[in-house]
Coordinates of all heavy atoms in Angstrom, one line a residue:
Chain G
D959 N -58.8 -4.3 -41.8 CA -58.1 -5.4 -42.5 C -58.7 -5.6 -43.9 O -59.9 -5.8 -44.0 CB -58.1 -6.7 -41.7 CG -57.1 -6.6 -40.6 OD1 -56.4 -5.6 -40.4 OD2 -57.1 -7.6 -39.8
T960 N -57.9 -5.8 -44.9 CA -58.5 -6.2 -46.2 C -58.7 -7.7 -46.1 O -58.1 -8.4 -45.2 CB -57.4 -6.0 -47.3 OG1 -56.3 -6.8 -47.0 CG2 -57.0 -4.6 -47.4
P961 N -59.6 -8.3 -46.9 CA -59.9 -9.7 -46.9 C -58.6 -10.5 -47.0 O -58.3 -11.5 -46.3 CB -60.8 -10.0 -48.0 CG -61.5 -8.7 -48.2 CD -60.5 -7.6 -47.8
D962 N -57.7 -10.1 -47.9 CA -56.4 -10.8 -48.1 C -55.6 -10.8 -46.8 O -55.0 -11.8 -46.4 CB -55.6 -10.2 -49.3 CG -56.2 -10.6 -50.6 OD1 -57.2 -11.3 -50.6 OD2 -55.6 -10.2 -51.6
A963 N -55.5 -9.6 -46.2 CA -54.7 -9.5 -45.0 C -55.3 -10.3 -43.9 O -54.6 -11.0 -43.1 CB -54.7 -8.0 -44.5
R964 N -56.6 -10.4 -43.9 CA -57.3 -11.2 -42.9 C -57.0 -12.7 -43.1 O -56.7 -13.4 -42.2 CB -58.8 -10.9 -43.0 CG -59.5 -11.3 -41.7 CD -61.0 -10.8 -41.8 NE -61.0 -9.4 -41.2 CZ -62.1 -8.6 -41.4 NH1 -63.2 -9.1 -42.1 NH2 -62.1 -7.4 -40.9
L965 N -57.1 -13.1 -44.4 CA -56.8 -14.5 -44.7 C -55.3 -14.8 -44.3 O -55.1 -15.9 -43.7 CB -57.0 -14.8 -46.2 CG -58.4 -14.9 -46.6 CD1 -58.5 -14.9 -48.2 CD2 -59.1 -16.2 -46.1
N966 N -54.5 -13.9 -44.5 CA -53.1 -14.1 -44.2 C -52.9 -14.2 -42.7 O -52.2 -15.2 -42.2 CB -52.2 -13.0 -44.7 CG -50.7 -13.3 -44.6 OD1 -50.3 -14.4 -45.0 ND2 -49.9 -12.4 -44.0
A967 N -53.6 -13.4 -42.0 CA -53.6 -13.4 -40.5 C -54.1 -14.8 -40.0 O -53.6 -15.4 -39.0 CB -54.3 -12.3 -39.9
M968 N -55.1 -15.3 -40.7 CA -55.7 -16.5 -40.3 C -54.8 -17.7 -40.5 O -54.6 -18.6 -39.6 CB -57.0 -16.8 -41.0 CG -58.1 -15.8 -40.6 SD -59.6 -15.9 -41.7 CE -60.5 -17.2 -40.9
F969 N -54.1 -17.7 -41.6 CA -53.1 -18.7 -41.9 C -52.0 -18.7 -40.8 O -51.5 -19.7 -40.3 CB -52.5 -18.6 -43.3 CG -53.2 -19.4 -44.3 CD1 -54.6 -19.2 -44.5 CD2 -52.6 -20.4 -45.0 CE1 -55.3 -20.0 -45.5 CE2 -53.3 -21.2 -45.9 CZ -54.6 -21.0 -46.2
L970 N -51.5 -17.5 -40.5 CA -50.5 -17.4 -39.5 C -50.9 -17.9 -38.2 O -50.2 -18.6 -37.5 CB -50.1 -15.9 -39.4 CG -49.1 -15.4 -40.4 CD1 -49.0 -13.8 -40.3 CD2 -47.7 -16.0 -40.2
A971 N -52.2 -17.6 -37.8 CA -52.7 -18.0 -36.5 C -52.9 -19.5 -36.5 O -52.6 -20.1 -35.4 CB -54.0 -17.2 -36.2
A972 N -53.4 -20.1 -37.5 CA -53.8 -21.5 -37.5 C -52.7 -22.4 -37.9 O -52.6 -23.6 -37.4 CB -55.1 -21.7 -38.3
Y973 N -51.9 -22.0 -38.9 CA -50.9 -22.9 -39.4 C -49.5 -22.5 -39.1 O -48.5 -23.1 -39.5 CB -51.1 -23.1 -40.9 CG -52.5 -23.4 -41.4 CD1 -53.0 -23.0 -42.6 CD2 -53.3 -24.3 -40.7 CE1 -54.2 -23.3 -43.1 CE2 -54.6 -24.6 -41.1 CZ -55.1 -24.1 -42.3 OH -56.3 -24.4 -42.7
G974 N -49.4 -21.2 -38.6 CA -48.0 -20.7 -38.3 C -47.2 -20.3 -39.5 O -46.0 -20.3 -39.5
R975 N -47.9 -20.0 -40.6 CA -47.2 -19.6 -41.8 C -48.1 -18.6 -42.6 O -49.3 -18.7 -42.5 CB -46.8 -20.8 -42.7 CG -48.0 -21.4 -43.2 CD -47.7 -22.5 -44.2 NE -48.9 -23.2 -44.7 CZ -49.6 -22.8 -45.8 NH1 -49.2 -21.8 -46.5 NH2 -50.6 -23.5 -46.2
P976 N -47.5 -17.7 -43.4 CA -48.4 -16.9 -44.2 C -49.0 -17.7 -45.4 O -48.6 -18.8 -45.7 CB -47.4 -15.8 -44.8 CG -46.0 -16.4 -44.7 CD -46.1 -17.5 -43.6
I977 N -50.1 -17.0 -45.9 CA -50.8 -17.7 -47.0 C -50.0 -17.6 -48.3 O -49.3 -16.5 -48.5 CB -52.2 -17.1 -47.2 CG1 -53.1 -18.0 -48.1 CG2 -52.2 -15.7 -47.7 CD1 -54.6 -17.6 -48.0
H978 N -50.0 -18.6 -49.1 CA -49.3 -18.6 -50.4 C -50.2 -18.0 -51.5 O -51.4 -18.0 -51.4 CB -49.0 -20.0 -50.8 CG -48.0 -20.2 -51.9 ND1 -48.5 -20.2 -53.2 CD2 -46.7 -20.3 -52.0 CE1 -47.4 -20.3 -54.0 NE2 -46.3 -20.4 -53.3
A979 N -49.6 -17.4 -52.5 CA -50.4 -16.7 -53.5 C -51.4 -17.6 -54.2 O -52.6 -17.2 -54.4 CB -49.4 -16.2 -54.6
Q980 N -51.0 -18.9 -54.4 CA -51.9 -19.8 -55.1 C -53.1 -20.1 -54.1 O -54.2 -20.4 -54.6 CB -51.2 -21.1 -55.5 CG -50.3 -20.9 -56.6 CD -49.4 -22.1 -56.9 OE1 -49.5 -23.1 -56.2 NE2 -48.5 -22.0 -57.9
E981 N -52.8 -20.2 -52.8 CA -53.9 -20.4 -51.9 C -54.8 -19.3 -51.8 O -56.0 -19.5 -51.6 CB -53.2 -20.7 -50.5 CG -52.5 -22.0 -50.4 CD -51.6 -22.2 -49.2 OE1 -51.1 -21.1 -48.7 OE2 -51.4 -23.3 -48.8
L982 N -54.3 -18.1 -51.9 CA -55.1 -16.9 -51.9 C -56.2 -17.0 -52.9 O -57.4 -16.6 -52.6 CB -54.3 -15.7 -52.2 CG -54.6 -14.3 -51.5 CD1 -55.1 -14.5 -50.0 CD2 -53.5 -13.4 -51.6
V983 N -55.9 -17.6 -54.1 CA -56.9 -17.7 -55.1 C -58.1 -18.7 -54.6 O -59.2 -18.3 -54.8 CB -56.3 -18.4 -56.4 CG1 -57.3 -18.6 -57.5 CG2 -55.1 -17.5 -56.9
I984 N -57.7 -19.8 -54.0 CA -58.7 -20.7 -53.5 C -59.6 -20.0 -52.5 O -60.8 -20.2 -52.6 CB -58.0 -21.9 -52.8 CG1 -57.0 -22.6 -53.7 CG2 -59.0 -22.9 -52.2 CD1 -56.1 -23.7 -53.0
W985 N -59.0 -19.3 -51.6 CA -59.8 -18.7 -50.5 C -60.6 -17.5 -50.9 O -61.7 -17.3 -50.4 CB -58.9 -18.5 -49.3 CG -58.4 -19.8 -48.7 CD1 -57.4 -20.5 -49.2 CD2 -59.0 -20.5 -47.7 NE1 -57.3 -21.7 -48.5 CE2 -58.3 -21.7 -47.5 CE3 -60.1 -20.3 -46.8 CZ2 -58.6 -22.7 -46.6 CZ3 -60.4 -21.3 -45.9 CH2 -59.7 -22.4 -45.8
R986 N -60.1 -16.7 -51.8 CA -60.9 -15.6 -52.4 C -62.1 -16.2 -53.0 O -63.2 -15.7 -52.8 CB -60.1 -14.8 -53.4 CG -59.1 -13.8 -52.8 CD -58.4 -13.2 -54.0 NE -57.2 -12.4 -53.5 CZ -56.1 -12.2 -54.3 NH1 -56.0 -12.8 -55.5 NH2 -55.2 -11.4 -53.8
D987 N -62.0 -17.3 -53.8 CA -63.1 -17.9 -54.4 C -64.1 -18.4 -53.4 O -65.3 -18.2 -53.6 CB -62.7 -19.1 -55.3 CG -62.0 -18.7 -56.6 OD1 -62.0 -17.5 -56.9 OD2 -61.6 -19.6 -57.3
L988 N -63.6 -19.0 -52.4 CA -64.5 -19.5 -51.4 C -65.3 -18.4 -50.7 O -66.5 -18.5 -50.5 CB -63.7 -20.3 -50.3 CG -64.5 -21.1 -49.3 CD1 -65.4 -22.1 -50.0 CD2 -63.6 -21.7 -48.3
L989 N -64.5 -17.3 -50.3 CA -65.2 -16.2 -49.7 C -66.3 -15.6 -50.6 O -67.4 -15.3 -50.1 CB -64.2 -15.1 -49.4 CG -63.3 -15.3 -48.2 CD1 -62.2 -14.2 -48.1 CD2 -64.2 -15.2 -46.9
A990 N -66.0 -15.6 -51.9 CA -67.0 -15.1 -52.9 C -68.3 -16.0 -52.8 O -69.4 -15.5 -52.9 CB -66.5 -15.1 -54.3
T991 N -68.0 -17.3 -52.7 CA -69.2 -18.2 -52.6 C -70.0 -17.9 -51.4 O -71.2 -17.9 -51.4 CB -68.8 -19.7 -52.6 OG1 -67.5 -19.8 -53.2 CG2 -69.8 -20.6 -53.2
F992 N -69.3 -17.8 -50.3 CA -70.0 -17.5 -49.0 C -70.8 -16.2 -49.2 O -71.9 -16.1 -48.7 CB -69.0 -17.3 -47.9 CG -68.2 -18.6 -47.5 CD1 -67.0 -18.5 -46.8 CD2 -68.8 -19.8 -47.8 CE1 -66.4 -19.6 -46.4 CE2 -68.1 -21.0 -47.4 CZ -66.9 -20.9 -46.8

Side-chain angles (χ1 to χ4, degrees):
Chain G
D959 286 355
T960 63
D962 283 3
R964 199 169 275 167
L965 284 170
N966 191 50
M968 291 170 88
F969 266 60
L970 279 170
Y973 308 147
R975 67 173 178 89
I977 194 166
H978 191 275
Q980 288 170 0
E981 290 168 328
L982 211 43
V983 179
I984 303 171
W985 290 83
R986 280 179 189 148
D987 282 356
L988 186 63
L989 280 173
T991 334
F992 293 159

